[in-house]
Amino acid sequence: MTATFQILSLAFVLVIGAVAIRDHQRLRARRAALLDEAAAALISPSITWGGDGFPKLRGQYHGQDIHVDLIPDTMVVRRLPQLWMSVTLLTPNPDLSALGMLVRYAGNEFYSLTSELEHRLDPPTGFPQEVLIRSGRPSGNALLNELRQPLAKILADPHVKEVAITNKGLRIVRQAAEGRRGDHLLLRQATFDTSSIPYGELEVVLAELGTLQLAISQRGSARAA
């Protein structure tokens, strides 16, 4: 009886292990393909993968370098895990002070640029009330007011988490997916049902970044005139 029980126990462990390996491989395969569709929005797209299996997309949009990163966030409080899509337009803005806007600030946004800035600013009219705005300089209000209209339009999207402006470029962080409730509650795992980030979703962010960069350029031209 004891030998039979031991054999059955070993078989059970082996089956559970095989299922776990299979599920892990499927999960990594799903993660690896998340940006395949969205890559078509860029010129000369290139995809690499991090140690967590999430892809990183690099390419060009209107002649400027774009970085797209997926950030799994399991540090949310009283909410399901989130998958953020961070889209960065790399373009020099040497005369600008850093400016960041973080919506629904909780204090544990490890990916946030806004949280690293020193000077807190009051939100202008038309901005979400729950937005944290910070600048790299005390004079950041001038830039905030000049870009108020395009920023307010971007922040009106409930999926947008952060907008950041630095002298190296622009960034928008947007919700890409929310974790599966059952896996989070029972297994404390971050499993996302999304199999692919839609082409159109990345296109929206790229257009917003382009509009914001145009407003920055026009601001500089107006001052020079």
Side-chain angles (χ1 to χ4, degrees), residues 79-127:
R79 291 184 62 194
L80 295 175
Q82 301 293 309
L83 182 65
W84 304 111
M85 179 173 68
S86 171
V87 185
T88 304
L89 171 65
L90 295 174
T91 181
N93 297 303
D95 298 328
L96 292 186
S97 62
L99 185 64
M101 289 132 282
L102 182 64
V103 186
R104 297 173 297 279
Y105 171 69
N108 52 10
E109 289 87 356
F110 58 91
Y111 50 83
S112 170
L113 293 176
T114 304
S115 302
E116 299 176 2
L117 301 177
E118 182 178 357
H119 303 281
R120 186 161 184 170
L121 307 177
D122 294 328
T125 302
F127 276 43

Side-chain angles (χ1 to χ4, degrees), residues 156-179:
D157 184 341
H159 295 289
V160 169
K161 179 65 173 177
E162 183 179 44
V163 181
I165 300 169
T166 74
N167 58 6
K168 296 180 180 178
L170 314 175
R171 176 177 294 172
I172 293 178
V173 178
R174 175 186 173 93
Q175 182 193 48
E178 189 168 67

Side-chain angles (χ1 to χ4, degrees), residues 51-217:
D52 56 6
F54 284 100
K56 301 174 183 294
L57 172 62
R58 304 293 184 260
Q60 288 197 329
Y61 177 73
H62 290 178
Q64 295 177 306
D65 290 334
I66 296 290
H67 288 187
V68 182
D69 298 284
L70 295 179
I71 306 169
D73 179 10
T74 59
M75 298 180 66
V76 290
V77 179
R78 296 188 298 275
R79 291 184 62 194
L80 295 175
Q82 301 293 309
L83 182 65
W84 304 111
M85 179 173 68
S86 171
V87 185
T88 304
L89 171 65
L90 295 174
T91 181
N93 297 303
D95 298 328
L96 292 186
S97 62
L99 185 64
M101 289 132 282
L102 182 64
V103 186
R104 297 173 297 279
Y105 171 69
N108 52 10
E109 289 87 356
F110 58 91
Y111 50 83
S112 170
L113 293 176
T114 304
S115 302
E116 299 176 2
L117 301 177
E118 182 178 357
H119 303 281
R120 186 161 184 170
L121 307 177
D122 294 328
T125 302
F127 276 43
Q129 289 302 307
E130 70 278 16
V131 63
L132 171 69
I133 304 178
R134 285 183 173 169
S135 172
R137 300 176 188 169
S139 58
N141 269 315
L143 178 61
L144 178 62
N145 289 328
E146 288 175 324
L147 301 177
R148 178 172 55 84
Q149 290 186 349
L151 288 173
K153 186 175 181 180
I154 295 171
L155 293 171
D157 184 341
H159 295 289
V160 169
K161 179 65 173 177
E162 183 179 44
V163 181
I165 300 169
T166 74
N167 58 6
K168 296 180 180 178
L170 314 175
R171 176 177 294 172
I172 293 178
V173 178
R174 175 186 173 93
Q175 182 193 48
E178 189 168 67
R180 192 183 298 167
R181 180 176 297 274
D183 287 11
H184 178 61
L185 294 178
L186 297 177
L187 304 175
R188 309 307 296 177
Q189 292 182 349
T191 303
F192 303 101
D193 287 326
T194 301
S195 59
S196 181
I197 307 299
Y199 168 90
E201 190 165 322
L202 178 56
E203 262 203 328
V204 167
V205 181
L206 293 172
E208 290 172 337
L209 289 170
T211 298
L212 186 55
Q213 181 59 33
L214 178 61
I216 292 172
S217 300

Side-chain angles (χ1 to χ4, degrees), residues 2-76:
T2 301
T4 301
F5 178 77
Q6 290 176 341
I7 292 173
L8 290 175
S9 298
L10 177 60
F12 178 76
V13 169
L14 291 174
V15 169
I16 293 298
V19 170
I21 292 173
R22 181 201 64 190
D23 289 347
H24 180 68
Q25 291 173 338
R26 287 179 177 176
L27 177 61
R28 289 186 68 88
R30 283 170 58 89
R31 287 179 177 178
L34 278 170
L35 290 176
D36 286 2
E37 181 182 341
L42 300 180
I43 301 297
S44 302
S46 172
I47 296 179
T48 59
W49 295 268
D52 56 6
F54 284 100
K56 301 174 183 294
L57 172 62
R58 304 293 184 260
Q60 288 197 329
Y61 177 73
H62 290 178
Q64 295 177 306
D65 290 334
I66 296 290
H67 288 187
V68 182
D69 298 284
L70 295 179
I71 306 169
D73 179 10
T74 59
M75 298 180 66
V76 290

